[in-house]
Amino acid sequence: MTRPSRPAPFVAASSALLLLAACEKEVVKPPEPKIDSAAYVVDGGKPFVPPGVTEKTAPKATFADATPGSGFEFTHVNGAQGNKYLPETMGAGVILFDADGDGLLDVYCVQGAEWPGSEKLPQKPTGKLFKNLGGMKFKDVTAGSGLDVPFLGMGGCAADYDGDGDQDLFVTALGPYHLFRNEGGGKFHDVTRDACLETSIWKDKQGRAHPGWSTSAAWLDYDCDGVLDLFVCHYVHWSTENDVYESMNGVDKSYPQPVKYESDSCRLFKGGADGKFTDVTKAMGIEKSDSKALGIAVADLNGDGRPEVAIANDTQPNYLFASQADGRYLDVAPDAGMAKDGNGRARAGMGIDMAALMNDGLFTVSIGNFSGEPVSMYSQIGKEIFFVDLAGKMRVGPATELPLKFAILFCDYDLDGRLDLFTLNGHIEPTIESVRKDTTYEEAPQLFWNRGDGMFAEVSKASGECMQKRLVGRGTAAGDLDGDGDLDLVLTQNGRPALLLRNDQSLGNGWLRVRLQGAAKNRDALGATVTLENGGKGITRDVRTGSSYLSQCDVAPTFGLGPNAKDPVAVVVRWPSGKSERFEGLAPNQEHRLVEGKGKAK
């Protein structure tokens, strides 16, 4: 995750140049004073506005910490005991899905583990399932759910993979995968082995076998056959036996850089009608030896009906797997301009999201990078799959350079019809301040308002105290948890309690939510696109899993309708089957369930 140190030749050359400068007695200019990226102001304390740009005022919208008294109580266990093992820094994710079929979003928090021999807790920790009781109240229903299984979990994704009408759950881990089939009513059964989902195995130099380390994952229908497939990101070859010693100060051990470990390839599993999966990683062009994948985002970028897959890699070039005419995938990230930064260097990517931010059909791929590297905003130029990083032009570059960004999320928090940007931040090294005075272990999240003119404005400090609280942030998921239409947030911390943030905006903007039901086994209609026709403009959202960091938001698209939203609207759905349907007369400020070939469900 940290960038590798400069090679010895560079250091030697730099030393020689410095000696030459000293011999010639050149005058060395003092370093430029450091500017706080959060305080770009001019005289009078007003935000800096470039010439020719109209200043815009963001709407007043706040979030509140609704965790106390909600029944939502989860503390992540990272197992840290001073050994500074790399997996301790990475977890954990959160998944929003309807586990019991009552129409309300439930919350599953992925749990870590203690290291063998150093257990402090009386019982081994497990992931937690919280039933949504309505009104932002939750109940821990983990016990007896089948999800009370201890393992060192990382992230996951949920969807009805077997087409039986309820949501199933896949969880990644340092170790074997876990596929929990929903048996109905929120009761789950681990069917990983029966489904033929086996994690990768690697061998160290001594010939010892170790299970793979999977991170983010996404359900998708890559071949459009009506049966869900599974894409799983993998990180590095790590075990306690090959743990690397590294130090920031030359005395104490620090968390090692991922560049010290070999990469592990992402994997693609084709789903079968019988509920079993086949590993098609190599056959479909996914196998690569240079991945250190942490984030995944899925969307149809070229309009062929098949999903593209963007991968955020840590200290390695990012991937963009584009669908090809022969049905295979090809990593086009180098030619598409999103493998590296503008200087040709690979960044340390964590979370990722992609969407059409300006409602013009052109996508932006945003990646959360390490401290010292701003958020990437790879923006599509024209209808071809080609991108340019416009983080600076969009005015999110300087403000995001210092924090270490994990979760990245596009969501319309103020319901004005434009997707905004949220980042959840937190460093990996608890003692980072001892060597970098301008960097902290706990960092505040950041919220950027989409101005609608290609630029963003940071509104973190005006969005409530919880948006200014310093956290060791990791995973984030957005969804309407209290039924009032706007999107709330669940945030996880590494080794600390998770938080439930209630969206308290009261701007009077209307909204519309569309929950789809496909006709085939892909009942969640993953891969569908929904276009809202509002005021002569089309706003398109994809139905997908993945995005953020190790997490999953509600798969049902929420459309902000802006002010004075009283009249019914129409949407056009392009189903994964390729068929298109138009649904008219959808009342605003409601969730509508649309069934392929059967119209609106009652």
Side-chain angles (χ1 to χ4, degrees):
M1 290 170 301
T2 51
R3 290 183 289 181
S5 58
R6 299 183 186 274
F10 181 93
V11 176
S14 300
S15 300
L17 290 174
L18 290 174
L19 287 172
L20 179 61
C23 291
E24 295 179 359
K25 298 182 179 181
E26 292 184 355
V27 177
V28 179
K29 294 182 179 180
E32 294 290 335
K34 185 165 184 178
I35 301 175
D36 184 356
S37 63
Y40 278 80
V41 297
V42 294
D43 293 341
K46 295 182 179 180
F48 170 73
V49 179
V53 174
T54 302
E55 186 173 1
K56 294 188 177 183
T57 302
K60 182 68 174 180
T62 60
F63 286 81
D65 186 354
T67 315
S70 67
F72 176 72
E73 297 180 1
F74 174 80
T75 298
H76 176 249
V77 175
N78 61 16
Q81 298 290 329
N83 292 317
K84 295 293 183 76
Y85 290 147
L86 184 58
E88 297 170 0
T89 69
M90 306 305 294
V94 55
I95 294 94
L96 303 185
F97 72 118
D98 186 1
D100 53 9
D102 64 355
L104 301 178
L105 284 178
D106 306 305
V107 183
Y108 176 79
C109 294
V110 184
Q111 185 58 284
E114 296 183 293
W115 297 108
S118 62
E119 292 90 344
K120 288 187 176 181
L121 299 176
Q123 294 181 332
K124 291 185 177 181
T126 72
K128 293 289 185 180
L129 177 63
F130 294 92
K131 175 180 173 58
N132 191 337
L133 303 177
M136 204 60 88
K137 299 294 182 180
F138 294 85
K139 180 181 180 181
D140 186 346
V141 294
T142 312
S145 68
L147 300 177
D148 46 351
V149 181
F151 57 91
L152 203 166
M154 293 296 298
C157 53
D160 183 8
Y161 86 94
D162 54 2
D164 65 351
D166 47 35
Q167 303 287 298
D168 310 294
L169 179 65
F170 176 78
V171 185
T172 61
L174 175 62
Y177 303 141
H178 291 271
L179 175 60
F180 296 101
R181 186 179 63 206
N182 195 331
E183 305 294 351
K187 301 297 182 181
F188 295 83
H189 178 59
D190 192 332
V191 296
T192 315
R193 184 182 295 274
D194 294 338
C196 302
L197 281 174
E198 296 184 4
T199 189
S200 58
I201 300 294
W202 62 275
K203 291 185 177 181
D204 59 25
K205 294 180 180 180
Q206 286 71 40
R208 295 170 297 200
H210 304 278
W213 180 355
S214 51
T215 53
S216 292
W219 293 104
L220 73 168
D221 185 6
Y222 79 87
D223 51 1
C224 300
D225 65 351
V227 180
L228 288 186
D229 313 301
L230 182 64
F231 195 109
V232 186
C233 295
H234 276 249
Y235 195 38
V236 298
H237 292 166
W238 181 92
S239 72
T240 54
E241 286 87 352
N242 77 335
D243 182 62
V244 174
Y245 179 88
E246 196 164 349
S247 176
M248 293 189 302
N249 58 16
V251 178
D252 303 308
K253 185 182 180 185
S254 62
Y255 285 109
Q257 303 177 61
V259 294
K260 304 294 183 180
Y261 301 97
E262 293 181 350
S263 304
D264 196 1
S265 176
C266 298
R267 304 183 75 189
L268 177 61
F269 296 90
K270 176 178 171 55
D274 58 356
K276 300 182 184 297
F277 292 84
T278 303
D279 189 338
V280 294
T281 305
K282 187 173 183 179
M284 295 307 300
I286 303 299
E287 186 175 72
K288 292 177 69 69
S289 62
D290 61 348
S291 65
K292 289 181 171 68
L294 289 177
I296 181 172
V298 180
D300 180 7
L301 297 178
N302 57 13
D304 67 352
R306 294 183 59 213
E308 272 66 55
V309 180
I311 301 294
N313 279 321
D314 188 357
T315 69
Q316 295 292 123
N318 303 310
Y319 297 154
L320 180 58
F321 292 108
S323 58
Q324 303 298 299
D326 63 358
R328 289 166 49 85
Y329 278 98
L330 177 67
D331 176 23
V332 300
D335 293 332
M338 62 159 286
K340 301 178 181 180
D341 67 10
N343 295 314
R345 295 175 298 191
R347 288 174 170 171
M350 282 72 171
I352 186 173
D353 202 355
M354 63 177 170
L357 295 185
M358 303 305 163
N359 298 330
D360 56 3
L362 300 179
F363 283 78
T364 296
V365 181
S366 182
I367 298 176
N369 299 307
F370 202 79
S371 177
E373 302 171 337
V375 162
S376 301
M377 297 292 282
Y378 297 110
S379 299
Q380 191 175 8
I381 306 300
K383 293 297 183 181
E384 301 299 323
I385 300 182
F386 182 76
F387 298 82
V388 174
D389 190 350
L390 299 181
K393 184 177 180 180
M394 290 182 171
R395 300 177 69 185
V396 299
T400 61
E401 185 168 357
L402 188 58
L404 199 168
K405 289 76 61 182
F406 273 89
I408 286 283
L409 200 62
F410 292 137
C411 64
D412 184 2
Y413 76 91
D414 59 345
L415 300 177
D416 65 354
R418 300 187 297 265
L419 291 172
D420 310 295
L421 175 66
F422 175 81
T423 75
L424 184 59
N425 310 320
H427 213 278
I428 63 167
E429 181 55 65
T431 61
I432 188 63
E433 292 179 72
S434 65
V435 293
R436 296 182 183 175
K437 300 302 181 183
D438 59 347
T439 306
T440 60
Y441 181 50
E442 301 167 319
E443 298 175 317
Q446 292 175 289
L447 182 63
F448 296 85
W449 174 62
N450 187 337
R451 293 165 37 115
D453 58 0
M455 292 181 285
F456 289 78
E458 184 174 2
V459 294
S460 310
K461 293 182 180 179
S463 300
E465 292 183 2
C466 59
M467 284 292 179
Q468 303 172 55
K469 183 177 181 180
R470 293 183 179 272
L471 308 170
V472 188
R474 293 299 184 264
T476 299
D480 184 5
L481 297 173
D482 54 2
D484 65 354
D486 54 33
L487 299 175
D488 311 296
L489 298 173
V490 182
L491 316 180
T492 68
Q493 296 192 80
N494 182 266
R496 298 188 178 188
L499 289 87
L500 181 63
L501 303 190
R502 184 184 63 240
N503 189 338
D504 283 345
Q505 67 84 26
S506 56
L507 301 171
N509 290 333
W511 58 277
L512 184 86
R513 185 168 299 116
V514 178
R515 198 168 300 277
L516 303 183
Q517 181 177 321
K521 207 169 184 181
N522 177 8
R523 289 176 59 90
D524 294 308
L526 298 183
T529 58
V530 183
T531 301
L532 171 73
E533 298 178 353
N534 185 27
K537 296 182 179 180
I539 303 175
T540 299
R541 301 282 186 263
D542 290 280
V543 180
R544 73 254 174 83
T545 62
S547 295
S548 186
Y549 172 74
L550 305 178
S551 302
Q552 178 177 309
C553 303
D554 183 12
V555 299
T558 295
F559 294 89
L561 301 179
N564 304 316
K566 300 178 181 179
D567 298 328
V569 298
V571 301
V572 176
V573 178
R574 189 193 70 181
W575 298 94
S577 63
K579 299 178 181 178
S580 290
E581 282 187 274
R582 179 184 172 88
F583 298 84
E584 298 182 344
L586 303 182
N589 305 317
Q590 293 183 25
E591 177 177 307
H592 299 271
R593 180 176 291 274
L594 308 180
V595 183
E596 184 176 6
K598 296 183 179 180
K600 180 182 173 181
K602 295 181 179 180

